[in-house]
Amino acid sequence: IRGFYIGRFQPYHYGHQSVIEHIAEEVDEIVIGIGSAQQSHSPENPYTAGERVLMITRALEHSVSLPFYVIPIEDIQRNALWVSHARAISPPFNVVYSSNPLVVRLFNEAGAEVISPEMFIRENYSGTEIRRRMLVGEDWMSLVPPVVADVINEIDGVGRLQDVSGSD
Ligand code: ATP
Ligand code: MG
């Protein structure tokens, strides 16, 4: 069984990590799709696909023992074709894990098996909350695995987010 989990991972955090650790108990291999792969350097999507590959790969190297594949997936402007688009670019998968209502809807309509994992302390562990904390200088490092904080610090990820959120 190969499971598929999609997110934007802006940035990757312990909420994602808890879902992946749960998935790892149910499947043999995991495909992680990086959504909106073409986006970067914006307030909602500060990090490039390659930077997100680095965050996820480093975090999973230290936490899961099964094979995983990290696949960037660009947006297409036609939701009705999105499942085919994702399948065309990803290793084949049998089960989809998502709690995102649109993703669940699209895969259900395509006849896929979809499992919706529980939320892990969503108030703190969300990309939106982490980006908010980065902007105002509050603690965000405790919400991500240490290796992810290392990647963000290496690329001056907080400075970048602050710059792309500013106006002239
Ligand atoms: P943003 O606030 O930028 O949307 P996010 O935290 O929702 O960030 P995504 O990359 O959008 O992160 O999420 C990928 C998937 O992970 C989504 O299906 C989302 O529901 C799920 N997810 C996000 N946070 C948690 C969490 N704390 N527990 C469980 N699942 C989560
Ligand atoms: Mg989200």
Side-chain angles (χ1 to χ4, degrees), residues 5-20 33 35 43-46 52 97-101 103-104 117-131:
Y5 179 55
I6 179 113
R8 292 177 10 265
F9 307 112
Q10 293 282 13
Y12 183 85
H13 56 67
Y14 279 128
H16 304 132
Q17 182 89 359
S18 80
V19 171
I20 289 176
E44 300 296 308
N45 293 286
R52 291 176 274 163
Y97 290 84
S98 181
S99 306
N100 180 282
V103 172
V104 171
E118 301 274 300
M119 281 293 161
F120 175 73
I121 332 180
R122 181 68 161 151
E123 302 76 56
N124 289 342
Y125 295 99
S126 87
T128 301
E129 170 65 11
I130 291 168
R131 296 191 302 275

Side-chain angles (χ1 to χ4, degrees), residues 11-168:
Y12 183 85
H13 56 67
Y14 279 128
H16 304 132
Q17 182 89 359
S18 80
V19 171
I20 289 176
E21 286 174 3
H22 165 80
I23 296 171
E25 292 170 11
E26 300 187 345
V27 302
D28 304 299
E29 300 194 327
I30 306 185
V31 179
I32 295 135
I34 298 185
S36 300
Q38 83 286 359
Q39 296 240 30
S40 74
H41 297 79
S42 75
E44 300 296 308
N45 293 286
Y47 308 123
T48 69
E51 290 161 348
R52 291 176 274 163
V53 168
L54 203 51
M55 295 177 201
I56 295 165
T57 307
R58 292 263 173 86
L60 295 186
E61 273 169 1
H62 292 261
S63 60
V64 306
S65 53
L66 73 181
F68 62 89
Y69 310 92
V70 185
I71 311 292
I73 301 176
E74 298 192 357
D75 291 330
I76 53 168
Q77 304 312 316
R78 202 177 280 256
N79 285 339
L81 294 179
W82 182 79
V83 168
S84 300
H85 171 66
R87 284 197 185 283
I89 213 165
S90 164
F93 49 85
N94 324 78
V95 191
V96 175
Y97 290 84
S98 181
S99 306
N100 180 282
L102 174 62
V103 172
V104 171
R105 181 80 207 177
L106 293 174
F107 274 111
N108 272 330
E109 289 189 10
E113 180 185 348
V114 183
I115 296 173
S116 293
E118 301 274 300
M119 281 293 161
F120 175 73
I121 332 180
R122 181 68 161 151
E123 302 76 56
N124 289 342
Y125 295 99
S126 87
T128 301
E129 170 65 11
I130 291 168
R131 296 191 302 275
R132 185 195 69 76
R133 292 188 186 194
M134 287 173 163
L135 282 176
V136 300
E138 289 178 21
D139 165 62
W140 57 271
M141 287 196 212
S142 63
L143 304 181
V144 305
V147 289
V148 171
D150 289 344
V151 171
I152 291 170
N153 290 326
E154 174 193 332
I155 62 175
D156 186 30
V158 174
R160 180 193 296 170
L161 177 64
Q162 290 170 344
D163 285 345
V164 302
S165 302
S167 60
D168 59 8

